[in-house]
Amino acid sequence: MSNPNNVSLNINHDLEFIDGHALTIPTLSILTEDGDIHPSATAPTISKHTALKLYETMRFIRLLDERMQGAQRQGRVSFYMQCLGEEAAVTASAAALDQNDMIMAQYREQAALHYRGFTLDQFMNQMFSNELDLGKGRQMPIHYGSKELNYMTISSPLGTQIPQATGYAYGQKVKHIDAKTGELASTIDNVTICYFGEGAASEGDFHAGLNMAAVHKAPVIFFARNNGYAISTPADEQFKGDGIASRGVGYGIKTIRVDGSDALAVFAATQKARDIAATQGEPVLIESIAYRLGAHSTSDDPSGYRSKDEEATHKVCPIDKFKKWLIKQDWLNEEDDAKAKEVIREDILAALKRAEKVQKPALEELISDVYDTPIPSLTRQYNDLKAHIKQHPDAYPVTAGRIK
């Protein structure tokens, strides 16, 4: 090997350390807050249909988040997490993908799922864990998943989806590799996008996943949502480097940082990232910078760790910014937008009332498809559980009445 250490041997005779912030990473911004294109920026090519679908998705998710936050406070659902302030980052990135690209989300990417076609009733059925829930009531609220829409089911542990995304993406690439040369023989049909917050980037899985993707050249787009806080921990107490983007460069991955409140910038960056992943068969890291406007979840109170003055300073609404651009294209008007919001609010409330009246899944759904045929130990556990519920029906009022 000519370079067994795999390093750039630029010999220097002066004792000199490289500063941790020697690399300055720019942030791509295309839209102004007034909905204009920055004079020196180039807007991506986006159709009216895609732009309106993108906006309608963001608008829907904002209204869904508002209603479900209230539903949790009323005790109708146990838990909720809003996408407040990050709607453009999630929706615009999803809009730049192919429908068959795999999405591996963290837990704030409901907009990507709705953009793909997940219906209002499907959202509600999942959050109420009823018998129409695709996950059969086995998950916490907002832990969505859809095989049909290529959206991997969300899991609560942070960062587990990152190495999984690398492995899945490498599998997407393998069928396009020439068996004789070992090189990429054709453009990869579909790639994987993996969403996570800057807090999850402190997990070991982040480093393992990115290094593996870089070494094996997996066609995965790592989308880091840097919203400033990992629950209550501010970013400056999580890391001292230049955000998450600097780590991508360190791992030898093509990297870009974008204004996450700018739908056009996110769309352009993800579109290019997908092209790199599909044609060159290698990973890309996108770091989105968008302030988390709300609490981490319904279990969190941000007033305990950040001030109202700080929140006001960063109160940039990505939906309003994109809406102003659409109006200037004559693709949207205020009157129609206001009417649509009222219809959506009514639809959400009606769907909520429908979902909470649907029965919970039958008890046997707990083990029905864990294995093709339940194994003896699982069957014994199930029978013990059923006997316990029959013995204490008052403690399990929903389930007890349905046990045969």
Side-chain angles (χ1 to χ4, degrees):
M1 295 178 66
S2 58
N3 186 7
N5 302 106
N6 194 28
V7 296
S8 54
L9 291 173
N10 299 318
I11 302 301
N12 178 25
H13 301 292
D14 296 318
L15 198 161
E16 181 182 4
F17 288 89
I18 302 299
D19 186 83
H21 289 274
L23 175 66
T24 302
I25 300 174
T27 301
L28 177 66
S29 178
I30 294 176
L31 273 179
T32 68
E33 285 192 45
D34 294 326
D36 295 315
I37 303 297
H38 283 288
S40 58
T42 302
T45 300
I46 184 170
S47 69
K48 178 181 178 180
H49 170 77
T50 299
L52 287 176
K53 183 179 178 182
L54 198 166
Y55 174 74
E56 288 160 3
T57 300
M58 291 195 291
R59 180 177 62 191
F60 169 84
I61 289 300
R62 176 67 65 88
L63 296 173
L64 178 69
D65 282 355
E66 288 175 358
R67 177 62 267 179
M68 297 316 297
Q69 179 90 356
Q72 193 278 334
R73 295 301 188 235
Q74 294 170 334
R76 298 166 88 170
V77 295
S78 61
F79 180 77
Y80 196 75
M81 298 186 77
Q82 294 181 311
C83 189
L84 205 63
E86 299 182 73
E87 294 94 345
V90 176
T91 314
S93 55
L97 301 173
D98 184 90
Q99 184 77 4
N100 292 319
D101 290 340
M102 176 56 72
I103 293 177
M104 293 197 181
Q106 185 162 310
Y107 44 52
R108 214 181 293 278
E109 290 82 24
Q110 51 265 42
L113 187 54
H114 186 61
Y115 189 89
R116 285 271 173 101
F118 206 67
T119 68
L120 173 55
D121 282 317
Q122 286 177 313
F123 277 111
M124 288 298 175
N125 291 332
Q126 196 284 327
M127 286 184 278
F128 280 95
S129 295
N130 63 35
E131 65 180 1
L132 298 179
D133 169 26
L134 296 180
K136 299 185 177 182
R138 298 172 180 172
Q139 289 273 14
M140 288 173 61
I142 65 92
H143 286 54
Y144 310 109
S146 173
K147 182 178 180 181
E148 178 188 3
L149 299 176
N150 300 297
Y151 191 99
M152 189 68 73
T153 301
I154 294 166
S155 57
S156 291
L158 278 185
T160 56
Q161 75 277 17
I162 302 174
Q164 291 168 357
T166 294
Y168 193 94
Y170 187 70
Q172 291 171 312
K173 178 181 178 178
V174 166
K175 61 184 178 181
H176 297 279
I177 295 177
D178 187 292
K180 293 182 180 179
T181 65
E183 300 295 324
L184 199 63
S186 62
T187 298
I188 298 166
D189 297 329
N190 292 110
V191 303
T192 295
I193 189 167
C194 179
Y195 294 97
F196 52 90
E198 91 287 341
S202 297
E203 295 286 335
D205 280 345
F206 167 86
H207 300 281
L210 263 70
N211 189 55
M212 183 164 60
V215 171
H216 295 289
K217 294 187 176 181
V220 54
I221 301 168
F222 295 110
F223 197 98
R225 294 180 295 92
N226 186 342
N227 63 24
Y229 286 90
I231 309 182
S232 60
T233 305
D236 64 359
E237 292 181 16
Q238 297 178 57
F239 50 82
K240 293 301 178 186
D242 184 7
I244 306 303
S246 61
R247 303 184 195 180
V249 176
Y251 278 115
I253 294 174
K254 285 186 173 67
T255 300
I256 188 169
R257 176 178 289 153
V258 298
D259 176 356
S261 71
D262 182 343
L264 291 184
V266 174
F267 182 82
T270 311
Q271 198 174 50
K272 181 61 178 178
R274 189 193 184 281
D275 179 67
I276 292 169
T279 60
Q280 300 178 33
E282 61 182 81
V284 181
L285 173 64
I286 299 173
E287 181 182 20
S288 161
I289 306 299
Y291 192 76
R292 194 191 76 206
L293 295 179
H296 172 73
S297 72
T298 50
S299 303
D300 174 43
D301 177 10
S303 67
Y305 54 86
R306 67 187 193 190
S307 67
K308 292 294 182 184
D309 288 341
E310 177 187 316
E311 292 178 350
T313 301
H314 295 88
K315 206 156 192 172
V316 177
C317 178
I319 301 177
D320 286 346
K321 185 189 288 192
F322 192 57
K323 174 184 170 181
K324 290 172 183 175
W325 181 78
L326 287 172
I327 290 173
K328 290 178 179 182
Q329 310 310 304
D330 290 326
W331 290 353
L332 183 72
N333 65 69
E334 292 279 9
E335 184 179 353
D336 290 343
D337 186 48
K339 289 179 180 177
K341 287 178 181 177
E342 287 309 308
V343 172
I344 294 169
R345 286 190 181 98
E346 292 173 4
D347 289 345
I348 290 173
L349 183 56
L352 187 154
K353 290 178 178 178
R354 283 195 301 272
E356 64 184 350
K357 292 177 183 177
V358 178
Q359 291 192 99
K360 299 299 181 186
L363 188 64
E364 56 264 26
E365 293 286 2
L366 276 173
I367 66 167
S368 61
D369 57 4
V370 177
Y371 297 92
D372 183 43
T373 302
I375 60 175
S377 61
L378 201 58
T379 301
R380 283 195 300 273
Q381 291 176 52
Y382 171 72
N383 289 333
D384 289 344
L385 174 62
K386 189 161 63 171
H388 173 77
I389 294 173
K390 285 183 176 180
Q391 188 177 354
H392 306 281
D394 293 341
Y396 304 93
V398 175
T399 306
R402 301 191 65 196
I403 294 179
K404 298 177 181 177

